[in-house]
């Protein structure tokens, strides 16, 4: 089945220790998104890729970086995690952006715990 | 921000009908998605409205009024498995802006 896969499902890291979360998709979608969702809050868009074109949200901290080496994979790098970065990180994909109405398909998420 | 407003929590009885309202800012608005999110899981797509009116899809229907900046999700014949958070997500340009969600509790 075509899907969005995130690994790992749970990640524990130490304060200040770099961590990478991964996302892969078999949908062959052009657009990949990373969201941060804290408990009882809305998913917040961090950035997205349209093919290899990177689009950062204005309020995304510099601590968060992303890489998309090919169509299928996208990574979220947190350079120096703080306690406030503990959250669920959701990856999503969609087909061509810009025309509106493109459904985003979400992966199961990675729950990050910072000790 | 786009000031998305939806109730924080609702409770309803199995077999009943419940309506979850959402208001949003109309400037730059394209269309509106509703997603369902069970606790600890990813959001899953329920519906998309771009035109005014009601879109029916099985037990779930979604309504949109573009001029009023208003939408609702209607869930009929509630089942226990419908207990989840329901996220209103208007689209601006090519981006979704999610509301904080309405936690629906279905009781027997």
């Amino acid at each position: 089945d075509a899907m969005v896969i995130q690994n790992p499902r749970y990640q524990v890291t130490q304060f200040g220790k770099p961590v990478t979360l991964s996302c892969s998709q078999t949908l062959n979608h052009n657009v990949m998104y990373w969201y941060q969702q804290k408990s009882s809050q809305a998913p917040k868009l961090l950035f997205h890729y349209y093919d290899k074109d990177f689009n950062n949200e204005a309020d995304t901290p510099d601590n968060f970086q992303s890489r998309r080496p090919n169509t299928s994979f996208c990574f979220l790098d947190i350079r120096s995690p703080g306690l406030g970065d503990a959250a669920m990180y959701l990856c999503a994909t969609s087909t061509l952006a810009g025309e509106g109405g493109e459904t985003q398909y979400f992966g199961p998420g990675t729950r990050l715990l910072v000790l | 921000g786009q000031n998305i407003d939806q109730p924080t929590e609702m409770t309803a009885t199995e077999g009943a009908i419940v309506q979850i309202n959402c208001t949003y800012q109309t400037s730059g608005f394209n269309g509106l998605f509703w997603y369902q999110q069970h606790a600890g899981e990813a959001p899953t797509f329920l519906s998309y409205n771009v035109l005014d009116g009601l879109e029916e899809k099985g037990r779930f229907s979604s309504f949109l009024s573009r001029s009023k900046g208003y939408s609702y999700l209607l869930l009929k014949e509630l089942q226990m498995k419908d207990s989840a958070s329901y996220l209103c997500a208007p689209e601006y340009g090519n981006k979704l802006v999610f509301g904080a969600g309405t936690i629906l509790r279905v009781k027997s």
Side-chain angles (χ1 to χ4, degrees):
Chain A
D1 288 340
M3 57 191 345
V4 182
I5 302 160
Q6 289 188 246
N7 286 305
R9 293 294 307 276
Y10 299 90
Q11 176 74 58
V12 181
T13 191
Q14 293 178 342
F15 183 94
K17 184 176 180 181
V19 65
T20 295
L21 310 181
S22 73
C23 176
S24 63
Q25 54 130 342
T26 60
L27 298 162
N28 202 32
H29 283 171
N30 296 85
V31 192
M32 295 187 77
Y33 307 81
W34 279 104
Y35 289 86
Q36 178 194 64
Q37 187 178 26
K38 297 186 176 180
S39 182
S40 302
Q41 295 185 22
K44 178 180 179 298
L45 182 64
L46 296 173
F47 24 60
H48 73 279
Y49 274 94
Y50 178 25
D51 290 329
K52 291 194 172 185
D53 184 20
F54 177 69
N55 299 272
N56 198 30
E57 292 301 297
D59 57 355
T60 298
D62 292 340
N63 198 25
F64 292 85
Q65 304 285 321
S66 186
R67 296 171 283 136
R68 188 179 186 186
N70 53 52
T71 300
S72 300
F73 285 88
C74 195
F75 299 99
L76 171 61
D77 300 308
I78 309 176
R79 293 191 297 187
S80 182
L83 298 178
D85 296 328
M88 174 79 91
Y89 290 88
L90 295 165
C91 173
T93 73
S94 70
T95 54
L96 284 175
E99 297 182 2
E102 302 294 342
T103 300
Q104 293 187 22
Y105 297 90
F106 285 82
T110 294
R111 185 167 294 282
L112 178 68
L113 182 61
V114 181
L115 300 178
Chain B
Q2 275 73 26
N3 293 333
I4 301 155
D5 191 24
Q6 53 180 129
T8 305
E9 293 185 16
M10 298 181 74
T11 301
T13 305
E14 199 174 10
I17 299 173
V18 70
Q19 177 175 314
I20 302 174
N21 297 323
C22 173
T23 59
Y24 58 89
Q25 287 189 356
T26 58
S27 177
F29 172 77
N30 282 345
L32 190 138
F33 288 84
W34 283 95
Y35 279 80
Q36 179 192 60
Q37 187 177 25
H38 284 99
E41 298 183 13
T44 55
F45 169 77
L46 288 178
S47 66
Y48 175 70
N49 292 68
V50 64
L51 300 176
D52 285 348
L54 188 68
E55 295 272 349
E56 297 189 65
K57 192 188 292 186
R59 292 190 301 114
F60 291 8
S61 302
S62 54
F63 172 85
L64 181 68
S65 169
R66 298 182 67 94
S67 61
K68 294 182 180 177
Y70 168 68
S71 174
Y72 67 73
L73 181 69
L74 191 71
L75 293 80
K76 303 175 190 174
E77 301 169 17
L78 280 174
Q79 302 175 8
M80 298 300 287
K81 68 178 182 180
D82 297 330
S83 293
S85 182
Y86 291 86
L87 304 170
C88 172
E91 182 181 41
Y92 299 93
N94 60 357
K95 296 180 187 176
L96 295 187
V97 180
F98 284 89
T102 298
I103 297 173
L104 174 65
R105 294 189 173 88
V106 180
K107 58 181 184 178
S108 57

